[in-house]
Amino acid sequence: MASCSGCGPGYRSPLDAMKGPREEIVYLPCIYRNTNTLKPDYLATVDVDPKSSTYCQVIHRLPMPNLCDELHHSGWNACSSCFGDASRKRNRLILPSLISSRIYVVDVETNPRAPQIHKIVEPVDLFWKCGLANPHTTHCLGNGQVMISCLGDPSGNGKGGFVLLDGQTFDVVGNWEHPGEAAPFGYDFWYQPRHNVMISTEWGAPKALANGFDPADVAGGHYGSCLHVWNWDTHRKLQTIDLGKDGGIPLEVRFLHDPSATEGYVGCALSGSVFRFYKTLEGDWAAESVISIPSKKVEGWTLPEMPGLITDILISLDDRFLYFSNWLHGDVRQYDITDRRKPRLVGQLFLGGSIVSDGPVKVLQDREKQPDPRIIQGRRVPGGPQMLQLSLDGLRLYVTTSLYSGWDKQFYPDMIKEGSVMMQIDVDSVNGGLSLNENFLVDFGKEPDGPVLAHEVRYPGGDCTSDIWL
């Protein structure tokens, strides 16, 4: 591998990736479930090249052949973990369906600007071969397989297991975890082979979260608050770290990109906290809260206190900046994490949210004034900032506003009617700082079949939330 120069997919190192080409197109799953349109979800290809005549436009739509899949997150058949293997190519995008449990394998090689379905893995294969359902996060593995985390079992109960797909045929191979060792809940995961470790997170039981959020389900034990530490080689669960009341619903987990690093961060939605997890001197793993976003005392909302609801986090490829979105409060934040234990806020930008100054919610006690609604090119931003994707060079941050259709419908009903948007933030990667690019807007309220909910952003050449280095 050391003598290999660009022979496999991805990049030799995270710092090499930062020198990669500028993104020209991106892929986004677009969801119709829970909207007023009975149409299949689709994969949108969006032109993000400012030199192009179709800049900020959807240039292709690949509809799925089924209804109500709830496309959500996507991943690759190969990434930088396969850099040393000349036989591997990043040519298939893996699209799991959060609700139907169907997995679509999309050919992005034949025509990257107009992808086509290559294969469909039906839910029955997950149910019968793995006892799992509700697939979420996809990562390729260095051995050629593809691994997908799952939220539950076929009955809608929480079950944090992992499905393995053959990297060539995309047939279901079986479970990654050993029988009886699945976590109580599942969601995201990230592995770090140099330290023989994988860490997974928890959302909640699919039957609890399927159609909205009920606080009683938290009290009833249907949502998670733990990190799970796994032995990467043996697939054994080694440790469970309970984050407690300050770690409710830990979602996106990110190791530092440096493959020798023994630490990373996880965003906890319900508690508005970011925890740093790390390997101790004794060799086990621990976690500490390093960022806390206080809930706001409000009136005119469902509850007397509104959490920020941290729903997505990512780390720049040079491991210098941490970004996350507060979906309910409506702001995107940038932290300098040079001091890993003491993140320093260096950028903040409000893009919609539930506490806008002309909305029904009044903040009763807060040092921050309620932000004005964000209007771009005459379009009021619906919902709040949610999924994030950073350009390889760290200069552009893409933001979409849909979280998950069941929760969108509950918290931002206007977005169901008007569709979501994609925005772009210009990043000061030297001193820190965020500013909105007023010339960039992708309005998914204007789609041919009606407003749609656009979710996660993926670059064809890989990005900082999909590539892992060995």
Side-chain angles (χ1 to χ4, degrees), residues 156-170:
N157 303 301
K159 186 179 182 183
F162 306 88
V163 171
L164 287 174
L165 302 184
D166 182 281
Q168 298 296 320
T169 65
F170 302 102

Side-chain angles (χ1 to χ4, degrees), residues 57-283:
Q57 293 180 29
V58 179
I59 58 174
H60 184 263
R61 299 168 185 86
L62 173 62
M64 302 301 115
N66 301 282
L67 295 172
C68 299
D69 280 317
E70 187 90 37
L71 300 179
H72 197 62
H73 286 203
S74 61
W76 296 106
N77 65 316
C79 74
S80 293
S81 66
C82 308
F83 180 76
D85 186 348
S87 69
R88 304 295 304 282
K89 291 193 292 184
R90 191 196 312 258
N91 59 2
R92 300 290 184 263
L93 184 69
I94 315 299
L95 267 177
S97 303
L98 192 61
I99 294 300
S100 73
S101 298
R102 199 170 276 110
I103 300 170
Y104 296 99
V105 181
V106 178
D107 174 8
V108 295
E109 178 185 37
T110 305
N111 186 349
R113 299 174 74 87
Q116 298 300 319
I117 292 176
H118 172 73
K119 182 184 174 101
I120 302 173
V121 180
E122 293 295 344
V124 66
D125 288 338
L126 275 65
F127 298 167
W128 287 105
K129 293 183 180 179
C130 301
L132 293 170
N134 311 100
H136 186 269
T137 297
T138 303
H139 280 303
C140 78
L141 310 186
N143 66 5
Q145 292 181 320
V146 174
M147 182 163 153
I148 305 175
S149 60
C150 291
L151 271 63
D153 68 16
S155 299
N157 303 301
K159 186 179 182 183
F162 306 88
V163 171
L164 287 174
L165 302 184
D166 182 281
Q168 298 296 320
T169 65
F170 302 102
D171 292 335
V172 174
V173 175
N175 297 71
W176 180 85
E177 79 281 2
H178 289 271
E181 291 195 9
F185 303 103
Y187 185 72
D188 196 20
F189 72 101
W190 197 283
Y191 61 89
Q192 201 81 320
R194 290 191 190 181
H195 302 288
N196 192 31
V197 69
M198 180 184 84
I199 293 183
S200 66
T201 63
E202 300 184 329
W203 186 3
K207 63 184 178 183
L209 59 87
N211 294 308
F213 175 74
D214 184 347
D217 287 328
V218 177
H222 298 300
Y223 284 91
S225 61
C226 295
L227 303 181
H228 301 280
V229 183
W230 305 78
N231 182 300
W232 185 240
D233 288 339
T234 66
H235 307 184
R236 293 287 182 187
K237 189 166 63 171
L238 302 175
Q239 190 181 348
T240 294
I241 304 172
D242 190 343
L243 302 179
K245 62 180 179 60
D246 292 332
I249 311 185
L251 295 180
E252 313 301 333
V253 59
R254 314 292 187 202
F255 262 99
L256 296 180
H257 294 288
D258 177 356
S260 64
T262 54
E263 59 188 328
Y265 299 90
V266 59
C268 302
L270 190 61
S271 53
S273 300
V274 175
F275 276 74
R276 168 184 171 261
F277 58 86
Y278 57 96
K279 191 174 185 179
T280 71
L281 294 176
E282 290 74 30

Side-chain angles (χ1 to χ4, degrees), residues 12 20 31 53 67 139 145 160 162 164 202 206 223 251 268 278 304 326 335 339 351 357 392 405 428 450 463:
R12 180 189 300 276
I31 293 88
S53 61
L67 295 172
H139 280 303
Q145 292 181 320
F162 306 88
L164 287 174
E202 300 184 329
Y223 284 91
L251 295 180
C268 302
Y278 57 96
N326 285 311
Y335 285 80
D339 184 339
L351 299 169
S357 57
L392 295 178
S405 72
D428 182 339
D463 46 60

Side-chain angles (χ1 to χ4, degrees), residues 314-435:
L314 58 80
I315 300 173
S316 60
L317 286 168
D318 57 6
D319 290 333
R320 184 177 168 201
F321 293 109
L322 170 74
Y323 300 85
F324 66 79
S325 53
N326 285 311
W327 190 58
L328 289 179
H329 289 180
D331 57 319
V332 174
R333 297 189 178 211
Q334 177 193 28
Y335 285 80
D336 185 322
I337 54 171
T338 306
D339 184 339
R340 307 298 188 200
R341 298 189 69 183
K342 296 181 180 178
R344 182 169 58 91
L345 181 64
V346 292
Q348 183 180 19
L349 192 62
F350 278 89
L351 299 169
S354 294
I355 57 168
V356 288
S357 57
D358 65 349
V361 176
K362 181 181 179 182
V363 178
L364 301 178
Q365 187 180 354
D366 199 347
R367 286 179 294 179
E368 289 180 333
K369 77 179 188 70
Q370 293 188 233
D372 293 330
R374 181 65 67 170
I375 298 174
I376 309 173
Q377 299 175 15
R379 169 73 147 104
R380 181 179 177 127
V381 172
Q386 210 285 105
M387 291 307 297
L388 306 175
Q389 190 56 266
L390 187 66
S391 61
L392 295 178
D393 58 15
L395 299 179
R396 293 166 302 282
L397 186 68
Y398 294 92
V399 184
T400 55
T401 53
S402 169
L403 169 60
Y404 158 66
S405 72
W407 289 20
D408 291 352
K409 185 176 182 179
Q410 180 178 2
F411 292 105
Y412 291 116
D414 287 349
M415 186 163 58
I416 294 290
K417 302 172 187 174
E418 301 167 10
S420 63
V421 298
M422 180 166 73
M423 301 165 278
Q424 186 191 91
I425 296 173
D426 292 325
V427 176
D428 182 339
S429 63
V430 177
N431 304 306
L434 305 175
S435 59

